[in-house]
């Protein structure tokens, strides 16, 4: 599509892609839109700086009001008949924050009305949202969770091992992990740890955790066995000592990489680590391990999206804001700073990530997102129970 052309966007008189057009004539009436954060990723100050202020600049008549995440907040607002226009939630949270209250609204007519180009977005993410909307769409994906290997160069150096490279298979990754699982000076080093829940939920084979017909957890597909065997072998390496404490929480494994610094490779599957977390570590990134018959294919997408509610009285304005927040014009500077990975699938945006961030200087930034993401399986409200 147009995304592949090299021409700068101002080379024609066409409006930039996914840009809402201001209506001519009277200045629009002032509107307040209420955004609610389901993920607790947005402290108030970050919301103001990164979302509310740029929206105000683009649409002077629109003010974004913010409801921060607190337990039970959605229930309270709906019961009280309060205004909620847009829910900010990952696909993992959408059933508990939107579908549970029957707040979903099909934005397809608004996508058409404002000529929003879905072709510019990462295709598996769009597929996931359309699957969720039974062919329609309830939200627009704003950012993607990374899928990469974080690794600690110091541990590789200690044991004289080659650093991981892009395009490694799971078997090659396993050999590396085996060579790095050792005890040295009373410290137990582990080759590779992973967020097992996310690895299963976003599995590369696109296997369904829940049978959509029976709504029961379902691991009957014969491909589950090779998939799970592949993961299990990493934890059966001598010295891994995979007790329930190690495996019960993602946090326990993450801490061995981030805090103890005794894990050589870490697959968070859906987390982008901060400068503070990696401070003082000699770290880098390598692409997500792949299966030989699926080269370049990473896990399924885990987009963070903006969901328009059916109780919003300002659906047009809310959609225009959503369209702007998922446009290249708005996102480019934040993506260059390494704040998040865009769900926009253009060459510009893929190359832009972290380009102006001191944290990513000299790092293998391109490894944060696989060449292609596995097709997404439907999300049901029982997924989070099935993958535990």
């Amino acid at each position: 599509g147009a995304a592949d052309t090299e021409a700068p966007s101002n080379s024609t008189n066409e409006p930039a892609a996914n840009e809402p057009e201001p209506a001519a004539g009277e200045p629009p009436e002032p509107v307040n839109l209420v955004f609610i954060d389901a993920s607790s990723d947005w402290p108030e100050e970050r919301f103001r700086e990164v979302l509310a202020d740029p929206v105000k600049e683009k649409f002077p008549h629109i003010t974004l009001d913010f409801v921060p995440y607190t337990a039970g907040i959605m229930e309270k607002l709906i019961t009280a008949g309060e205004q909620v226009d847009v829910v900010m939630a990952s696909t993992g949270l959408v059933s508990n924050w939107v579908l549970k209250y029957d707040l979903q609204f099909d934005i397809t007519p608004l996508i058409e009305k404002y000529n929003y180009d879905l072709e510019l977005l990462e295709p598996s993410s769009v597929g996931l949202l359309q699957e969720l909307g039974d062919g329609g769409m309830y939200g627009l994906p704003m950012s993607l969770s990374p899928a990469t290997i974080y690794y600690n160069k110091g541990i590789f150096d200690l044991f004289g091992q080659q650093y991981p490279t892009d395009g490694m298979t799971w078997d090659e990754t396993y050999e590396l992990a085996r060579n790095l699982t050792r005890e040295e000076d009373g410290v137990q080093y582990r080759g590779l740890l992973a967020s097992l829940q996310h690895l299963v939920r976003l599995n590369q084979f696109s296997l369904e955790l829940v049978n959509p017909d029976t709504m029961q957890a379902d691991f009957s597909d014969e491909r589950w066995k090779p998939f799970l065997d592949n993961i299990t072998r990493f934890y059966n390496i001598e010295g891994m000592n995979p007790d329930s404490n190690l495996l019960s929480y993602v946090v326990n494994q993450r801490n061995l990489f981030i805090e103890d610094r005794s894990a050589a490779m870490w697959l968070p599957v859906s987390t982008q680590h901060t400068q503070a977390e990696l401070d003082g570590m000699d770290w880098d990134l390598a692409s997500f391990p792949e299966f030989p018959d699926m080269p370049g294919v990473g896990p399924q997408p885990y987009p963070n999206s903006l969901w328009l509610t059916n109780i919003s009285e300002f659906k047009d304005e809310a959609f225009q804001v959503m369209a702007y927040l998922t446009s290249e014009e708005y996102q480019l500077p934040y993506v260059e700073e390494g704040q998040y990975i865009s769900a926009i699938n253009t060459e510009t945006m893929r190359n832009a990530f972290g380009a102006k961030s001191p944290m990513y200087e000299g790092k293998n930034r391109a490894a944060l997102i696989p060449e292609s993401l596995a097709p997404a399986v439907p999300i049901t409200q029982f997924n989070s129970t099935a993958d535990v």
Side-chain angles (χ1 to χ4, degrees):
D4 307 323
T5 57
E6 289 298 304
S9 56
N10 58 1
S11 60
T12 67
N13 296 327
E14 293 295 304
N18 289 347
E19 265 317 291
E21 281 296 280
E26 293 297 300
E29 290 291 305
V31 168
N32 281 53
L33 297 176
V34 176
F35 274 54
I36 186 166
D37 174 25
S39 62
S40 62
D41 284 346
W42 292 89
E44 180 119 23
E45 195 180 332
R46 182 180 179 220
F47 178 86
R48 292 260 146 263
E49 200 178 296
V50 176
L51 299 176
D53 293 350
V55 164
K56 191 75 176 160
E57 202 167 305
K58 180 75 182 173
F59 305 102
H61 65 295
I62 297 178
T63 304
L64 298 193
D65 295 330
F66 179 59
V67 179
Y69 168 84
T70 50
I73 182 70
M74 202 63 174
E75 190 98 34
K76 286 189 192 116
L77 293 175
I78 289 168
T79 311
E82 296 283 347
Q83 180 183 350
V84 179
D85 298 288
V86 175
V87 180
M88 304 160 71
S90 68
T91 39
L93 294 170
V94 70
S95 56
N96 277 342
W97 283 74
V98 179
L99 307 181
K100 179 177 168 182
Y101 303 107
D102 219 13
L103 289 178
Q104 65 273 18
F105 177 78
D106 185 3
I107 58 175
T108 310
L110 292 165
I111 288 172
E112 288 162 9
K113 178 176 177 178
Y114 292 101
N115 292 323
Y116 186 90
D117 187 1
L118 292 175
E119 296 280 315
L120 295 178
L121 301 174
E122 194 283 312
S124 288
S125 302
V126 173
L128 177 64
L129 296 190
Q130 288 174 335
E131 180 88 53
L132 189 68
D134 287 328
M137 255 175 113
Y138 303 141
L140 292 177
M142 184 171 170
S143 64
L144 295 177
S145 299
T148 187
I149 300 175
Y150 282 89
Y151 66 93
N152 183 337
K153 289 180 164 182
I155 299 174
F156 284 80
D157 297 344
L158 179 67
F159 297 125
Q161 294 293 315
Q162 295 285 315
Y163 301 142
T165 54
D166 289 345
M168 282 198 319
T169 62
W170 279 103
D171 287 349
E172 291 165 331
T173 310
Y174 173 76
E175 286 310 316
L176 257 187
R178 236 177 33 157
N179 294 336
L180 291 156
T181 304
R182 313 188 195 178
E183 199 174 319
E184 182 84 12
D185 294 335
V187 177
Q188 177 61 58
Y189 291 95
R190 289 177 170 90
L192 178 135
L193 294 170
S195 168
L196 301 174
Q197 286 98 319
H198 287 99
L199 209 49
V200 169
R201 181 187 295 179
L202 306 173
N203 69 82
Q204 281 155 295
F205 294 164
S206 303
L207 296 167
E208 292 186 11
L209 288 164
V210 173
N211 178 326
D213 299 328
T214 63
M215 286 297 169
Q216 301 289 317
D218 183 357
F219 291 89
S220 58
D221 189 307
E222 73 247 9
R223 288 170 305 162
W224 272 118
K225 186 170 167 20
F227 184 81
L228 294 168
D229 287 348
N230 172 56
I231 302 168
T232 314
R233 62 178 170 163
F234 284 87
Y235 289 85
N236 288 334
I237 295 169
E238 197 175 334
M240 282 293 283
N241 312 330
D243 62 5
S244 60
N245 184 38
L246 175 67
L247 300 183
S248 62
Y249 293 110
V250 175
V251 168
N252 296 356
Q253 300 198 59
R254 187 192 68 192
N255 286 349
L256 290 175
F257 182 77
I258 298 286
E259 288 174 18
D260 301 4
R261 309 217 160 161
S262 61
M265 292 179 280
W266 163 232
L267 271 185
V269 188
S270 72
T271 303
Q272 186 180 320
H273 287 300
T274 61
Q275 178 62 54
E277 289 171 314
L278 300 172
D279 208 34
M281 184 193 297
D282 188 6
W283 62 279
D284 209 340
L285 303 163
S287 65
F288 203 84
E290 45 197 61
F291 291 98
D293 52 348
M294 296 163 58
V297 178
Q300 297 165 54
Y302 198 66
N304 295 296
S305 304
L306 302 168
W307 309 89
L308 179 57
T309 70
N310 58 18
I311 57 172
S312 172
E313 290 174 21
F314 306 105
K315 293 188 179 72
D316 279 79
E317 291 88 345
F319 181 80
Q320 286 180 290
V321 168
M322 289 163 58
Y324 175 59
L325 294 176
T326 54
S327 73
E328 209 166 274
E329 178 202 351
Y330 162 76
Q331 289 196 2
L332 189 61
Y334 297 103
V335 170
E336 286 176 334
E337 286 167 21
Q339 290 223 15
Y340 55 80
I341 294 163
S342 177
I344 301 170
N345 198 34
T346 61
E347 207 51 42
T348 313
M349 291 305 265
R350 286 181 77 91
N351 295 337
F353 180 84
K356 295 184 177 170
S357 157
M359 172 177 174
Y360 289 99
E361 201 173 325
K363 305 290 184 209
N364 183 15
R365 313 187 311 257
L368 270 161
I369 280 278
E371 284 170 44
S372 59
L373 297 171
V377 299
I379 291 204
T380 72
Q381 70 233 54
F382 303 111
N383 270 48
S384 52
T385 322
D387 65 25
V388 171

